[in-house]
Amino acid sequence: MSGQSLLVPGKISPTRPVPASIPRPEYVGKDAPTPYTGPEVQDAETIEKMRIAGRIAAQAMAEAAKLIAPGVTTDELDRVAHEFMCDHGAYPSTLGYRGFPKSLCSSLNEVICHGIPDSTVLKDGDIVNLDVTAYLDGVHGDNNATYLCGDVDEESTLLVERTREALNRAIKAVKPGRQINIIGRVIESYAKRFGYGVVRDFTGHGINSSFHSGLIVPHYDSPHHTTDIKPGMTFTIEPMLTLGSHDYDMWDDGWTVVTKDRKRTAQFEHTLVVTDTGAEILTLP
């Protein structure tokens, strides 16, 4: 693997404004969101709204990813996604969620998740995860992907490709009547082929009018998560695989999660709705 230096926090730019005409999620300006008490199964109208929000989130992520190259800051990626969502009438869901200061998460190399965009400059050989969620018409659409920056070493490239494949396999495993732990069982069995760690403490989640509904979608084989999968359920699958241990440390910012052994990690995510026969991806550009 690349012998590049480990990441350190950069300078965070001022909060980007959102036009007053764009509705905010209820948690903006609060310490925490109001706990969700509604159903995990959504009606057709809500699912259609999520399809639109998910499309905008996917498009915003794709627009930001176009800029990934050595010399670009993660703050610039945030600016592009922020402006895209606002231009399409959507609110960036992460902005103000439990105090998070930016409109996407940018997690490089050893950062598992929740990296804060800042003055950090992308370097040749980095791997870059972007996590973008859009709030529109009262619902959220959440997705992420890991991208290659310049000339990336083979070990890291394979980690990225296989993490994407782990997500694809997990989506295919979603069937009504199965328990939700089938998702983690499929991911972990695939990751073990290559000796990868599977992050356990950060999971997929239910999503709808709530950013995180309370439903937990583990990415490891967990006998304790036995919720039955039902048509109309909406949730994310977002496996995080590592080149080493699944153990982690957190930076003093209270958000940035890094592998304890500082080895690289990759992640991919889609928001899904369960159909009568499987799952439909709601975060397609």
Side-chain angles (χ1 to χ4, degrees):
M1 193 188 77
S2 170
Q4 292 180 345
S5 58
L6 298 178
L7 292 166
V8 295
K11 182 178 179 180
I12 300 174
S13 65
T15 301
R16 293 191 162 87
V18 177
S21 59
I22 295 177
R24 274 71 168 153
E26 58 84 21
Y27 53 74
V28 174
K30 297 164 55 177
D31 290 338
T34 302
Y36 178 71
T37 57
E40 297 297 345
V41 172
Q42 305 303 309
D43 59 29
E45 181 182 3
T46 301
I47 292 167
E48 179 56 29
K49 289 178 180 179
M50 291 182 66
R51 197 175 280 116
I52 296 169
R55 184 181 308 129
I56 289 174
Q59 290 171 340
M61 184 173 72
E63 287 301 307
K66 289 177 182 178
L67 272 71
I68 291 176
V72 176
T73 65
T74 55
D75 189 64
E76 179 67 4
L77 304 179
D78 180 81
R79 181 191 66 78
V80 171
H82 176 94
E83 291 180 358
F84 185 94
M85 285 185 275
C86 290
D87 287 348
H88 288 79
Y91 185 91
S93 300
T94 60
L95 185 61
Y97 180 79
R98 297 183 181 272
F100 192 84
K102 290 295 174 182
S103 298
L104 59 72
C105 299
S106 56
S107 302
L108 279 58
N109 301 336
E110 72 269 20
V111 179
I112 295 171
C113 58
H114 304 159
I116 300 174
D118 58 18
S119 60
T120 298
V121 176
L122 301 182
K123 297 181 175 62
D124 187 59
D126 284 345
I127 58 174
V128 184
N129 179 271
L130 300 182
D131 193 334
V132 180
T133 309
Y135 177 78
L136 180 67
D137 206 6
V139 299
H140 300 267
D142 184 4
N143 69 160
N144 78 56
T146 303
Y147 301 89
L148 308 181
C149 180
D151 185 17
V152 176
D153 66 89
E154 183 180 19
E155 186 179 36
S156 299
T157 300
L158 286 173
L159 174 68
V160 171
E161 292 175 354
R162 290 165 176 166
T163 306
R164 182 190 292 110
E165 176 63 15
L167 172 60
N168 292 338
R169 289 176 179 234
I171 292 171
K172 291 176 182 176
V174 174
K175 305 285 184 186
R178 290 179 170 177
Q179 293 182 341
I180 208 153
N181 56 22
I182 186 67
I183 293 168
R185 191 172 307 126
V186 166
I187 291 169
E188 186 168 39
S189 64
Y190 178 69
K192 277 184 173 180
R193 293 190 198 178
F194 312 104
Y196 294 154
V198 181
V199 173
R200 303 170 75 88
D201 290 354
F202 300 90
T203 67
H205 52 89
I207 184 170
N208 37 66
S209 60
S210 173
F211 195 171
H212 300 87
S213 73
L215 175 68
I216 295 173
V217 183
H219 303 120
Y220 61 98
D221 189 355
S222 169
H224 306 295
H225 293 86
T226 57
T227 301
D228 288 332
I229 297 173
K230 299 175 182 178
M233 289 178 73
T234 50
F235 53 81
T236 72
I237 302 177
E238 44 188 300
M240 304 161 224
L241 305 186
T242 73
L243 289 175
S245 170
H246 62 74
D247 294 325
Y248 67 92
D249 293 320
M250 186 174 288
W251 283 3
D252 292 341
D253 61 24
W255 283 105
T256 307
V257 180
V258 296
T259 54
K260 184 172 283 291
D261 56 17
R262 302 305 189 264
K263 291 186 178 181
R264 287 187 168 187
T265 176
Q267 182 185 15
F268 284 83
E269 173 187 21
H270 276 305
T271 295
L272 312 170
V273 60
V274 181
T275 68
D276 290 337
T277 57
E280 175 194 348
I281 298 172
L282 298 178
T283 39
L284 292 174

